Amino acid sequence: MDILSFLVIIPVLTVLGIIIAKDPKHTRIISAIGMGLQLILAAYLVFAYLGERNAGNIAEMLFRQDYMWYANLNIHYSVGVDGISVAMIALTAVVVFAGIFASWKVDFLPKEFFISLILLSTGVFGFFISLDLFTMFLFYEIAVIPMYLLIGIWGSGPKEYAAMKLTLMLMGGSALLLVGILGIYTNSAPDGGALTFNILEIAKVHIPIEAQRLFFPMTFIGFGILGALFPFHTWSPDGHASAPTAVSMLHAGVLMKLGGYGAFRVAIFLLPDAAQELSWIFIILTSISVVYGAFGAIVQKDLKYINAYSSVSHCGLVLFAVLMMNKTAMDGAILQMISHGLMTALFFALIGMIYGRTHTRMINEMGGLMKVMPFLGVAYVIAGLASLGLPGLSGFVAEMTIFFGAFQHTDVFHRVVTIVAVSSIVITAVYILRVVGALLFGPIKNPHFEHLEDAKWFEKLSTVTLILAIAAIGIAPLWLSNMIGTSLQPIIDKLSMIIP
Amino acid sequence: MTSFSFTVLIVLIPLFVFLFVGLLGHKMKPIVSGIIGTSGLAIAAILSYFTAYQYFFNTEKIGGAYQKILAFNTVWLQFTDKLHIDMGVLIDPISVMMLIVITTVSLMVHIYSIGYMKGEKGFARFFAFLSLFSFSMLGLVLATNIFQMYIFWELVGVSSFLLIGFYYTKPSAVSASKKAFIVTRFADLGFLIGILILSFNTGTFDFISLTNVNGAAIATGSGIAFLGLSTMTWSLILVFMGGAGKSAMFPLHIWLPDAMEGPTPVSALIHAATMVVAGVYLVARLFPVYAISAPDGLMVVAYVGSFSSLFAAVIACTQYDIKRVLAYSTMSQIGYMMVALGVSGYGGHEGLGYMASMFHLFTHAMFKALLFLGAGAIIHSVHTNLMTEMGGLRKHLPITHITFLIACLTIAGVPFLSAFFSKDEILTAAYHSNKLIFVVQLFVAGLTAFYMFRLYFRIFWNKDTHYHHTPHEAPLTMTFPLIFLAIASIFSGYIPFSEFVSSDSLPFETEIEWWPIAIPSIIVGLLGISLAYILYKKESTLPHRIASSVKFFYTSAFNKFYFDEIYMFVTKKIIFNYISRPVAWFDRHIVDGFMNSLAWITNVTSVKIKGFQSGQLQQYAFVFISGAILLGILFIYLFSI
């Protein structure tokens, strides 16, 4: 059975279902059922994957399917997963599921909203299962384009500007990426033979170093723009601030992860020599991201801006860890993607819920909300604690794995940047506690807030799903870390083969 | 050999209670959540006493030494082949001693809180947080490896944050909780970097391998690496930074006085008896590594401890808020424990300081918890924290009065009460190692007696204040813990501590050195008490006149030597205004400005060149013909050469 293709088929069928739906209520229910099935499928995939591995299947990618798509250029629809993609798929399924419930009350063109949202998720799922660079790129574009509509139509504030900026910057990234991918393609058979887009095939050959030097920066920056690499991150604050709740959730929670995932699956895995040679430039940029994002977040007043900057910092850590190029750090990078995906989705969901009640996102206009909406307040505190790396929640596991991985390098440069990155934990604590204090604690500033309602059932469902996932990883991280770690082995082998 | 696997329950029971009361607390009657919390802790306490009995009396010793027993261990997260974080339970003399301290004080605080917090909003939340704290603290002391300790260290920090900010509608409580968290977090940064370096060098997190005297870990890390100290020393100093943050040592002490915003039982449990001694416990846990591989690190511990104890004692003499006086007193007493560790050597009688430190930790937990709970009973009945608004309370609160007096006598080092013995051991250890520190600690002993009796006389004697509501003695739930702890304060000094706790786990003999240690210390203590008696027994203007005669010094001390202001300057001015604002501005105007200007240039260019596609045939024809002519000329020119 072709289990992976179902990950793409279910969202497409859901979209079709929404098209024939009669009223908004049906739209919502169909979306919820579709994405619920998707969540179940993703959970099943995790167990099926672990089952196969326990049964001794040591193939690099499992559940492979391969269909020729365009023979002239040797483009295939080729899918397969390893532990890393499985983890990312599970993350996506959780975030999308929570996102549907967080946008339960979208009343402006609900049908079109849910169609775009689910289309976006289709792209993401497709991206994570693809083994063919071209198909991967195609899915990537499917994920990015609905974003423009979602922000431009359902957004708030200067939404046209934000949508335009976000799309243009990401398209700029795509352009670099396309050139990079084509460059890899044209060099995929240095000893003659058929050119290929297949990642596993390319990984077996050694791309000439000159070509690597040219195409590594392109692919890395191309993906890096999506992963909020300094100084290409400025789409993020404006984009998030204007985006509707579920879009922020998906975007920060999942879409930004395409950047990190691509950066190591394509840029590092396929172009390891250049990665090794040029990593120092990007390590400097990412360690700037980490600290700079955190400092940037301290002075912001808009909840969404705070989170956008916080995402710059946390996603910077992902790319930072990827560039450390050892098993522990990369394991941490993937864990950080998952952890950040979950907690930032939770943050944006909560910000959306709070905004829906108070009609403001400015922290200086709020205060004492804990008293009127304890459920949302507690959830916000949990999200904050996860973000500042409290043990028992997912952020801690990811950050520590990254720090200890990075510290395995013995040279001064790597040590110093690691300590710079570690110091972000204090700055994070500062801005998180500032927000939590201003937003939830203290006396109630605005008398209109006295009678606000606490979370509704669908909001609770959305929040609890995410919190459970965060806590599950935080309390028992070993299985996830092992699942990822085993799958990193081919990449580590390739790196160690090449590095002198 | 006895199996200790049941000790896992000591940690897990409070966790379950936390989850149960935390999730369902709002559905129960308040008193039910209180009873569930208290009984959970009572079970943990019984198990702890049982563990102690089994460990000290029924477990085989090897070569006369108490063994470290790994009661439970499981891999939690694997970093590299060598480095993995385990979760487990390590049973050894100091962890068992800490079990007793934590569960005893915590149980007393639970019982006390049923009375103290009665009728408060968030009663269930309070008990949930107390259980969370007990869970984290027990996990911390039972940790098998330094990383597990760090994990629980952070959890302890967050429970402290939640409890300090318990009255979350009160802005001062919110900012105090924030301050406590951020300051300790900053210290933990040092701790974490210390662990990074330490674990990289030794290849292990595990306490048993780290502290094995003949092991590989202790042998590594000699040799000078940076600024004249070895890597090992640096890593241990960084680890100590974490300990100094949690234990409110100078200059990371500023959060502790503010932490008194929390409910008083919390101050007793967390900010007096248990959490704040975590730093001492951390150094004690790694003591062999400090003593053998990094004696310079130990010196830092000694001097930091000594200075902190003096610094805090001076400030304590000037404060009026009774909880703040007690907070500074806590800081000062923890300084003593640090000093004791700092001056101690390893093995046999050399390790007297180590034993003394743990001994003082034990007795201090009892009498300081008693002082705080007593202060709570006083505040509860007169509704103020300021001693200037009190006086003559001995008539209204007889039980509180007697127990408070016992605690004051104990902390002042009056002979044959518990702290007399433990403080005496510390002074002995200091005397044989570093005379300067000995003199300082002796002087601090006098100051301690003075400020404690200043507090005592101001509250219970002095002027007969007229109260709006006549103060009433607290209910039994509150007085019972007072009486229990008073008994503990009197008698816990008679535990033959050196039989149980020593640096190399081998029991040894100690005796009181009357001269030149115990007698001077008694004399200084009595001097302190007498001075307080003269100044504060009756209402008088003498204290005021003395204060004005050393005005500059007095104001500085009263304002805590302006440390809050310095920190304020660093955080508000430097971090907020000089780093974060420029970063935000840079991001908006330079980085983003660059992106926007790219877009703007593209726009302008396209506006300029869009004129070319005007759709006017004449213009196209004109351009076409001019181009053709130009090309023609160009070709003619090129070919004619």
Side-chain angles (χ1 to χ4, degrees):
Chain A
M1 191 184 73
D2 187 359
I3 173 174
L4 293 181
S5 296
F6 270 103
L7 286 170
V8 180
I9 294 169
I10 291 179
V12 172
L13 288 178
T14 314
V15 167
L16 292 177
I18 296 173
I19 291 175
I20 55 168
K22 291 238 165 44
D23 60 62
K25 201 177 169 202
H26 292 166
T27 310
R28 292 199 295 257
I29 292 172
I30 292 172
S31 315
I33 292 175
M35 293 304 106
L37 282 176
Q38 187 83 337
L39 184 61
I40 294 169
L41 183 64
Y44 171 75
L45 182 65
V46 172
F47 286 108
Y49 175 84
L50 289 173
E52 285 281 319
R53 282 281 184 245
N54 286 339
N57 191 338
I58 51 158
E60 202 175 331
M61 294 285 172
L62 302 186
F63 310 115
R64 290 210 45 191
Q65 290 292 329
D66 200 303
Y67 306 103
M68 180 59 86
W69 192 29
Y70 185 66
N72 290 353
L73 289 176
N74 201 7
I75 297 174
H76 292 246
Y77 167 78
S78 175
V79 295
V81 287
D82 60 1
I84 301 161
S85 358
V86 168
M88 299 309 290
I89 288 164
L91 163 73
T92 312
V94 171
V95 173
V96 175
F97 181 75
I100 297 289
F101 287 97
S103 31
W104 207 243
K105 286 289 168 209
V106 170
D107 41 14
F108 178 66
L109 299 177
K111 206 167 182 174
E112 289 76 359
F113 179 83
F114 282 106
I115 290 176
S116 315
L117 195 66
I118 291 171
L119 206 57
L120 190 159
S121 78
T122 317
V124 178
F125 283 114
F127 181 87
F128 286 131
I129 56 173
S130 295
L131 292 180
D132 184 280
L133 286 177
F134 194 86
T135 333
M136 198 182 222
F137 185 73
L138 187 82
F139 278 120
Y140 175 87
E141 294 296 312
I142 293 179
V144 171
I145 290 169
M147 194 60 79
Y148 177 72
L149 300 174
L150 283 165
I151 298 178
I153 298 173
W154 289 274
S156 59
K159 56 188 183 185
E160 287 85 4
Y161 166 76
M164 185 61 91
K165 183 172 179 177
L166 181 139
T167 315
L168 282 180
M169 284 186 76
L170 295 189
M171 284 296 151
S174 302
L176 281 175
L177 203 55
L178 187 59
V179 179
I181 286 177
L182 292 177
I184 294 173
Y185 171 69
T186 50
N187 286 290
S188 63
D191 313 322
L195 298 177
T196 173
F197 277 111
N198 189 304
I199 293 179
L200 299 178
E201 299 290 319
I202 302 172
K204 285 182 199 144
V205 300
H206 185 247
I207 295 175
I209 180 77
E210 296 75 21
Q212 290 200 19
R213 280 198 197 113
L214 185 60
F215 297 117
F216 173 74
M218 287 188 179
T219 36
F220 194 86
I221 295 177
F223 280 119
I225 292 180
L226 192 53
L229 174 67
F230 175 86
F232 309 105
H233 63 274
T234 55
W235 56 265
S236 154
D238 289 321
H240 285 315
S242 296
T245 303
V247 176
S248 287
M249 286 169 73
L250 248 74
H251 195 270
V254 179
L255 211 57
M256 283 172 90
K257 307 308 171 286
L258 301 192
Y261 181 84
F264 96 97
R265 180 75 94 203
V266 178
I268 306 249
F269 188 35
L270 302 183
L271 307 164
D273 304 73
Q276 186 68 19
E277 228 175 80
L278 301 174
S279 69
W280 64 273
I281 303 174
F282 295 106
I283 289 179
I284 292 175
L285 288 182
T286 50
S287 49
I288 292 176
S289 280
V290 173
V291 179
Y292 175 93
F295 273 121
I298 290 185
V299 286
Q300 302 302 325
K301 292 196 179 72
D302 183 325
L303 285 175
K304 280 198 164 180
Y305 271 93
I306 294 170
N307 252 35
Y309 278 101
S310 154
S311 292
V312 170
S313 171
H314 283 124
C315 289
L317 208 51
V318 171
L319 293 176
F320 173 85
V322 164
L323 288 163
M324 286 294 155
M325 290 192 264
N326 64 36
K327 194 172 165 183
T328 314
M330 283 180 145
D331 199 335
I334 313 293
L335 285 170
Q336 173 77 354
M337 283 200 247
I338 294 165
S339 149
H340 175 256
L342 293 169
M343 74 198 180
T344 204
L346 177 58
F347 260 130
F348 279 120
L350 292 167
I351 293 171
M353 293 167 197
I354 291 171
Y355 179 70
R357 291 166 167 77
T358 61
H359 305 290
T360 176
R361 287 195 310 254
M362 296 296 155
I363 54 169
N364 48 356
E365 293 171 16
M366 291 191 253
L369 294 184
M370 184 65 107
K371 204 167 181 179
V372 282
M373 28 180 141
F375 181 87
L376 292 180
V378 170
Y380 204 96
V381 171
I382 293 176
L385 293 176
S387 182
L388 61 75
L390 183 78
L393 301 170
S394 60
F396 177 80
V397 176
E399 282 176 5
M400 290 305 137
T401 316
I402 291 175
F403 297 151
F404 279 84
F407 210 74
Q408 300 302 314
H409 288 275
T410 45
D411 56 301
V412 175
F413 172 69
H414 282 93
R415 291 259 161 120
V416 169
V417 290
T418 308
I419 288 176
V420 169
V422 173
S423 65
S424 72
I425 63 168
V426 182
I427 316 168
T428 310
V430 173
Y431 69 75
I432 294 289
L433 293 189
R434 170 174 172 263
V435 176
V436 168
L439 183 66
L440 303 172
F441 301 147
I444 298 172
K445 270 195 195 152
N446 188 334
H448 296 296
F449 294 168
E450 296 272 6
H451 306 291
L452 295 177
E453 276 180 61
D454 205 358
K456 299 244 175 28
W457 69 269
F458 48 87
E459 293 171 324
K460 284 186 180 169
L461 182 62
S462 171
T463 323
V464 169
T465 312
L466 292 167
I467 292 178
L468 284 181
I470 291 172
I473 297 174
I475 292 166
L478 189 62
W479 66 275
L480 184 60
S481 155
N482 278 349
M483 184 169 100
I484 295 166
T486 330
S487 302
L488 281 168
Q489 203 53 51
I491 298 174
I492 302 302
D493 290 344
K494 187 161 162 77
L495 284 170
S496 62
M497 209 162 61
I498 284 151
I499 294 163
Chain B
M1 201 175 81
T2 345
S3 167
F4 281 99
S5 45
F6 69 88
T7 46
V8 180
L9 286 177
I10 300 178
V11 186
L12 290 183
I13 289 171
L15 175 65
F16 291 137
V17 172
F18 161 65
L19 292 175
F20 186 70
V21 177
L23 293 174
L24 303 172
H26 57 284
K27 299 215 169 104
M28 314 170 191
K29 272 189 186 165
I31 189 73
V32 178
S33 55
I35 289 171
I36 293 174
T38 311
S39 28
L41 227 292
I43 298 169
I46 293 166
L47 286 174
S48 303
Y49 280 94
F50 180 67
T51 313
Y53 174 75
Q54 286 288 333
Y55 182 73
F56 286 121
F57 301 109
N58 274 344
T59 305
E60 195 187 342
K61 291 188 253 182
I62 298 177
Y66 293 105
Q67 295 304 298
K68 288 188 163 67
I69 296 171
L70 213 50
F72 173 81
N73 202 33
T74 174
V75 178
W76 187 69
L77 186 61
Q78 187 97 28
F79 282 151
T80 59
D81 300 335
K82 277 194 296 181
L83 284 183
H84 48 88
I85 308 176
D86 295 357
M87 284 290 157
V89 171
L90 176 68
I91 301 285
D92 79 340
I94 54 171
S95 69
V96 173
M97 180 205 84
M98 288 302 285
L99 278 187
I100 300 290
V101 171
I102 295 163
T103 51
T104 308
V105 177
S106 186
L107 180 60
M108 288 306 133
V109 166
H110 272 80
I111 296 172
Y112 182 89
S113 303
I114 292 178
Y116 187 86
M117 300 299 286
K118 196 173 173 188
E120 292 271 358
K121 268 190 102 177
F123 190 85
R125 181 164 55 96
F126 182 81
F127 276 91
F129 287 167
L130 274 190
S131 295
L132 174 66
F133 171 77
S134 306
F135 156 70
S136 324
M137 192 68 210
L138 291 165
L140 190 156
V141 298
L142 292 174
T144 59
N145 60 78
I146 193 162
F147 209 97
Q148 185 189 349
M149 195 156 172
Y150 179 77
I151 287 173
F152 283 98
W153 190 270
E154 292 291 307
L155 288 175
V156 165
V158 87
S159 356
S160 157
F161 164 77
L162 293 170
L163 282 163
I164 297 171
F166 181 76
Y167 300 116
Y168 61 82
T169 47
K170 209 167 115 192
S172 60
V174 175
S175 68
S177 63
K178 212 155 74 177
K179 187 172 178 183
F181 195 89
I182 290 170
V183 173
T184 47
R185 184 78 179 194
F186 175 70
D188 294 349
L189 176 65
F191 191 6
L192 183 60
I193 296 174
I195 299 177
L196 275 173
I197 302 174
L198 185 68
S199 65
F200 184 81
N201 284 341
T202 58
T204 179
F205 291 129
D206 188 48
F207 281 133
I208 295 182
S209 0
L210 273 175
T211 57
N212 183 355
V213 184
N214 304 314
I218 281 187
T220 55
S222 51
I224 288 162
F226 184 61
L227 288 180
L229 296 174
S230 70
T231 331
M232 194 70 154
T233 313
W234 276 111
S235 65
L236 288 171
I237 290 176
L238 284 167
V239 167
F240 172 64
M241 181 176 157
K246 207 52 109 202
S247 291
M249 289 289 98
F250 179 86
L252 296 166
H253 63 278
I254 51 152
W255 64 271
L256 185 62
D258 291 32
M260 297 300 129
E261 289 291 341
T264 309
V266 168
S267 311
L269 176 62
I270 302 186
H271 306 116
T274 55
M275 184 189 83
V276 288
V277 296
V280 180
Y281 183 74
L282 172 65
V283 177
R285 189 35 97 206
L286 289 171
F287 188 72
V289 195
Y290 274 100
I292 297 168
S293 333
D296 293 330
L298 217 46
M299 196 116 96
V300 174
V301 175
Y303 282 108
V304 168
S306 182
F307 184 75
S308 302
S309 74
L310 176 64
F311 179 83
V314 170
I315 296 177
C317 295
T318 63
Q319 299 299 308
Y320 287 111
D321 181 325
I322 57 176
K323 283 181 77 181
R324 282 185 188 242
V325 173
L326 293 179
Y328 281 107
S329 154
T330 306
M331 177 181 164
S332 175
Q333 296 297 311
I334 294 168
Y336 268 102
M337 301 172 207
M338 289 290 186
V339 164
L341 285 173
V343 298
S344 177
Y346 181 81
H349 210 273
E350 286 290 298
L352 177 68
Y354 176 89
M355 186 285 284
S357 172
M358 294 294 106
F359 194 9
H360 199 60
L361 191 161
F362 189 90
T363 56
H364 173 257
M366 303 301 157
F367 66 73
K368 191 49 72 62
L370 172 57
L371 281 170
F372 268 106
L373 294 185
I378 296 162
I379 295 167
H380 198 70
S381 65
V382 299
H383 305 288
T384 175
N385 277 13
L386 294 176
M387 63 170 97
T388 44
E389 294 171 17
M390 299 175 191
L393 279 176
R394 68 183 183 287
K395 294 167 203 156
H396 305 288
L397 309 172
I399 301 176
T400 312
H401 171 226
I402 296 297
T403 51
F404 203 86
L405 176 62
I406 292 171
C408 287
L409 290 170
T410 313
I411 190 176
V414 168
F416 312 115
L417 297 172
S418 62
F420 167 74
F421 297 101
S422 54
K423 199 182 269 181
D424 186 75
E425 305 286 10
I426 292 177
L427 290 173
T428 313
Y431 179 80
H432 291 294
S433 157
N434 189 326
K435 296 281 188 301
L436 172 67
I437 289 182
F438 169 72
V439 174
V440 171
Q441 297 319 120
L442 197 60
F443 177 62
V444 174
L447 281 181
T448 309
F450 170 71
Y451 68 71
M452 284 317 299
F453 275 86
R454 167 177 176 263
L455 187 66
Y456 167 76
F457 286 123
R458 288 293 306 242
I459 296 174
F460 293 102
W461 298 81
N462 211 299
K463 59 181 188 231
D464 272 328
T465 314
H466 180 73
Y467 300 96
H468 284 299
H469 310 280
T470 316
H472 284 291
E473 185 58 277
L476 182 66
T477 44
M478 287 165 72
T479 47
F480 168 73
L482 293 180
I483 296 165
F484 182 92
L485 289 170
I487 295 168
S489 301
I490 298 171
F491 295 107
S492 59
Y494 294 98
I495 299 173
F497 234 74
S498 59
E499 291 291 320
F500 302 124
V501 175
S502 61
S503 56
D504 51 2
S505 304
L506 286 165
F508 67 103
E509 293 288 322
T510 52
E511 55 188 28
I512 296 172
E513 287 189 44
W514 288 102
W515 188 258
I517 290 140
I519 293 183
S521 110
I522 295 169
I523 293 172
V524 205
L526 292 178
L527 277 176
I529 297 174
S530 332
L531 190 59
Y533 179 84
I534 298 166
L535 293 177
Y536 298 106
K537 166 82 194 314
K538 295 229 169 60
E539 207 174 353
S540 86
T541 53
L542 194 57
H544 188 69
R545 276 182 281 142
I546 295 173
S548 342
S549 68
V550 283
K551 198 163 185 356
F552 172 74
F553 184 73
Y554 177 81
T555 349
S556 309
F558 183 72
N559 290 310
K560 305 140 195 173
F561 297 101
Y562 303 103
F563 263 85
D564 280 341
E565 283 72 12
I566 295 169
Y567 272 88
M568 234 18 181
F569 177 75
V570 172
T571 49
K572 271 264 156 24
K573 279 268 158 40
I574 296 184
I575 295 185
F576 203 76
N577 287 345
Y578 296 142
I579 299 179
S580 295
R581 276 191 196 288
V583 163
W585 184 89
F586 178 80
D587 199 61
R588 286 282 85 186
H589 295 94
I590 308 295
V591 182
D592 200 32
F594 177 72
M595 295 300 163
N596 279 341
S597 57
L598 269 186
W600 180 79
I601 290 168
T602 319
N603 234 332
V604 169
T605 323
S606 67
V607 166
K608 293 272 183 233
I609 61 173
K610 81 177 174 198
F612 289 125
Q613 284 160 35
S614 56
Q616 290 178 3
L617 208 58
Q618 294 97 318
Q619 201 184 355
Y620 286 176
F622 173 72
V623 173
F624 171 71
I625 292 169
S626 337
I629 292 171
L630 273 175
L631 275 177
I633 293 170
L634 190 70
F635 278 118
I636 291 165
Y637 175 74
L638 283 176
F639 283 104
S640 61
I641 296 169

